[in-house]
Amino acid sequence: MSQSDYMLDIVIIFDGFLLLAISYYYKIKPPKKINEFYGFRTRRTMANQDIWDTANTRNAKDLVSYSWVLLISGLVTWIFQIPYAIFIHFTVMILGLAVAIYSTINYLDKHFDQNGNRK
């Protein structure tokens, strides 16, 4: 195993743990007030406090679940030394983030109108 392979293994494992830690923190300490820096920010979710709280609670839950998938996929590619593990890992990362965002938006569509008011 070369030095670069070793570093890629560390990245694959570390980013799974890092995303899990960040998403768990986001879950236990969601942003309390609408802001421009932290949280699930769209024009719609920043319309009022109710949709802001709902969007951030839901997205945090989705991100924690996704983080576990990313961590497990990283461990599997590392343990079994699967070829092109870094490409597989980052594909899982991008797809997972997309699914988490889509899931949150879909949830909001079911419970809020386009102006951010509850249905």
Side-chain angles (χ1 to χ4, degrees), residues 9 16-17 19-21 23 35-36 38 40-41 51 61 70 72-74 77 85 87 91 94-95 101 105 107-108 114:
D9 289 343
F17 279 113
L19 190 60
L20 183 62
S23 60
N35 67 75
E36 295 287 329
Y38 170 52
F40 193 84
R41 298 176 319 273
I51 193 169
K61 207 178 341 177
L70 182 67
I72 290 167
S73 73
T77 59
F87 296 113
T91 300
I94 298 299
L95 289 175
I101 291 168
I105 291 171
Y107 182 84
L108 294 176
Q114 290 302 317

Side-chain angles (χ1 to χ4, degrees), residues 45-119:
T45 60
M46 296 172 78
N48 64 53
Q49 192 66 42
D50 186 27
I51 193 169
W52 174 260
D53 293 339
T54 303
N56 282 287
T57 300
R58 176 62 187 215
N59 190 248
K61 207 178 341 177
D62 291 343
L63 284 176
V64 169
S65 300
Y66 154 69
S67 297
W68 279 109
V69 171
L70 182 67
L71 180 60
I72 290 167
S73 73
L75 288 171
V76 167
T77 59
W78 175 64
I79 290 169
F80 294 107
Q81 292 297 302
I82 295 172
Y84 305 107
I86 196 77
F87 296 113
I88 294 167
H89 188 69
F90 282 115
T91 300
V92 170
M93 180 183 292
I94 298 299
L95 289 175
L97 289 172
V99 167
I101 291 168
Y102 176 78
S103 174
T104 301
I105 291 171
N106 193 34
Y107 182 84
L108 294 176
D109 286 344
K110 290 180 182 176
H111 295 88
F112 293 88
D113 65 16
Q114 290 302 317
N115 297 320
N117 302 312
R118 283 199 182 267
K119 289 184 176 179

